[in-house]
């Protein structure tokens, strides 16, 4: 296991930020840790990375105990924070150089590692430029290079693609997928983009400091998310029929959406009312539906 957390607790005065949570992440896994702002995600990350002291429970990262071997843990993890921690007074090159030096990477070793980062993230044209002359996407690529420069076993991504353009988001994830497949990199992710969580191997949802759901995306969707059928024609007739049997209905400008209790129901309804099914589509429930069901909240905080 790359992370092993048991009965973790952390309070700030009267606020229980993390309340007795336990989970494990496997080596090479993409692990998604989901919750609205204030749910306890950042507190957990700060404990894992040695920034905060825990109040109770146990934390092991890369086989090391956080209380006994914090320095060894720090040398084995890289973190991409939601807000960039790059030094704006320096060039991209100097940011990476000084970060590498902290891990004892100098001279030719640094140049070799820098070349690897350049191949991964296409940094050549921006390395000598000052940080304040880079776009948000360019800065994010340097953030990722900074987190990877010492070849960590675990990469912690705290909202890594928030605010990025689609092209940069694709670049970020292609690099991460490559490192996971080729180097066995383990990734601990928090994100507001549910399609990113849907691609993970395992998901833990935290709310008000407590774990409220966990499992693979498939298992969570099967357990918590209902499927839907959208009607683009015969909308009034569909609404009348499905409301008469007690199903939930949502009307939008272009379609009428019916929430199913079970996917298999669609076969029964098609047989009974085939004339309604002129222009329609059946949609699987997604991770947005899961999150709303188990927390009663939208992931963006609504």
């Amino acid at each position: 296991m790359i992370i092993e957390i048991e009965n973790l607790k952390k309070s700030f005065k009267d606020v229980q930020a993390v309340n007795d949570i336990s989970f494990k992440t496997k080596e090479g896994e993409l692990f998604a840790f989901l919750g609205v702002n204030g749910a306890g995600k950042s507190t957990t990350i700060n404990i894992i990375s040695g920034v905060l002291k825990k109040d109770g429970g146990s934390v092991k990262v890369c086989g090391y105990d956080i209380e006994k071997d914090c320095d060894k843990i720090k040398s084995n993890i890289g973190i991409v924070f939601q807000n960039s921690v790059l030094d704006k007074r320096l060039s991209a090159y100097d940011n990476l150089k000084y970060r590498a030096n902290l891990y004892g990477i100098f001279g030719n070793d640094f140049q070799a590692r820098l070349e690897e980062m350049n191949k991964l993230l296409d940094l050549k044209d921006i390395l000598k430029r000052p940080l304040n002359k880079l776009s948000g996407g360019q800065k994010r690529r340097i953030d990722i290079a900074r987190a990877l420069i010492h070849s960590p076993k675990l990469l912690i991504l705290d909202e890594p693609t928030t605010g990025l353009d689609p092209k940069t988001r694709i670049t970020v994830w292609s690099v991460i997928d490559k490192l996971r497949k080729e180097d066995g990199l383990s990734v601990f992710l928090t994100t507001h983009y549910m399609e990113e969580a849907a691609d993970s191997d395992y998901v833990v949802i935290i709310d008000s400091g407590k774990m409220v759901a966990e499992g693979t995306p498939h298992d969570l969707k099967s357990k918590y998310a209902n499927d839907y059928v959208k009607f683009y024609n015969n909308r009034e007739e569909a609404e009348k029929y499905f409301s008469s049997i007690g199903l939930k209905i949502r009307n939008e400008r272009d379609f009428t959406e019916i929430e199913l209790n079970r996917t298999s129901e669609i076969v029964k309804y098609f047989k009974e009312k085939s004339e309604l099914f002129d222009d329609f589509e059946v949609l699987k429930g997604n991770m947005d539906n899961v999150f709303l069901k188990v927390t009663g909240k939208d992931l963006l905080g609504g």
Side-chain angles (χ1 to χ4, degrees), residues 59 152 163 209 230:
V59 176
K230 286 184 177 181

Side-chain angles (χ1 to χ4, degrees), residues 100-150:
N101 292 170
L102 290 175
Y103 291 94
I105 304 171
F106 301 96
N108 291 335
D109 290 337
F110 167 66
Q111 293 301 327
R113 190 62 185 148
L114 184 64
E115 181 57 29
E116 292 179 20
M117 293 296 97
N118 178 42
K119 290 178 180 178
L120 275 175
L121 293 156
D122 190 21
L123 306 177
K124 183 171 60 176
D125 293 336
I126 61 176
L127 282 175
K128 295 298 185 179
R129 294 169 62 184
L131 262 294
N132 59 8
K133 299 296 184 181
L134 300 183
S135 68
Q138 291 169 334
K139 290 177 183 176
R140 184 51 92 202
R141 280 151 56 196
I142 299 299
D143 276 320
I144 294 171
R146 177 186 180 276
L148 294 172
I149 197 71
H150 60 296

Side-chain angles (χ1 to χ4, degrees), residues 11 47 77 106 155 196 199 231 264 267 287:
S11 297
I47 292 171
I77 63 175
F106 301 96
L155 180 63
E196 295 179 348
D199 289 335
F231 290 92
S264 59
V267 177
M287 288 301 297

Side-chain angles (χ1 to χ4, degrees), residues 28-30 80 120-121 144 148 155 157 160-161 169-189 196:
E29 186 174 60
L30 172 56
V80 177
L120 275 175
L121 293 156
I144 294 171
L148 294 172
L155 180 63
L157 302 173
T161 59
R169 286 180 64 191
I170 291 171
T171 298
V172 167
W173 278 109
S174 66
V175 168
I176 292 167
D177 290 342
K178 177 180 173 67
L179 291 171
R180 288 184 61 222
K181 291 175 182 177
E182 297 182 1
D183 299 341
L185 180 69
S186 305
V187 180
F188 184 97
L189 168 74
E196 295 179 348

Side-chain angles (χ1 to χ4, degrees), residues 8 104 166 184 247 283:
L8 181 62
L247 295 187
L283 303 175

Side-chain angles (χ1 to χ4, degrees), residues 183-245:
D183 299 341
L185 180 69
S186 305
V187 180
F188 184 97
L189 168 74
T190 75
T191 181
H192 279 153
Y193 295 107
M194 296 306 327
E195 65 269 27
E196 295 179 348
D199 289 335
S200 63
D201 298 304
Y202 202 80
V203 178
V204 163
I205 299 176
I206 185 172
D207 188 35
S208 300
K210 296 182 179 180
M211 284 175 53
V212 292
E214 63 176 310
T216 67
H218 177 271
D219 289 343
L220 289 173
K221 287 186 284 187
S222 297
K223 184 174 182 179
Y224 295 108
N226 290 357
D227 296 339
Y228 300 84
V229 56
K230 286 184 177 181
F231 290 92
Y232 298 96
N233 288 339
N234 306 317
R235 294 176 57 184
E236 291 184 5
E237 296 87 344
E239 181 177 1
K240 182 178 180 181
Y241 171 69
F242 288 105
S243 62
S244 71
I245 57 178

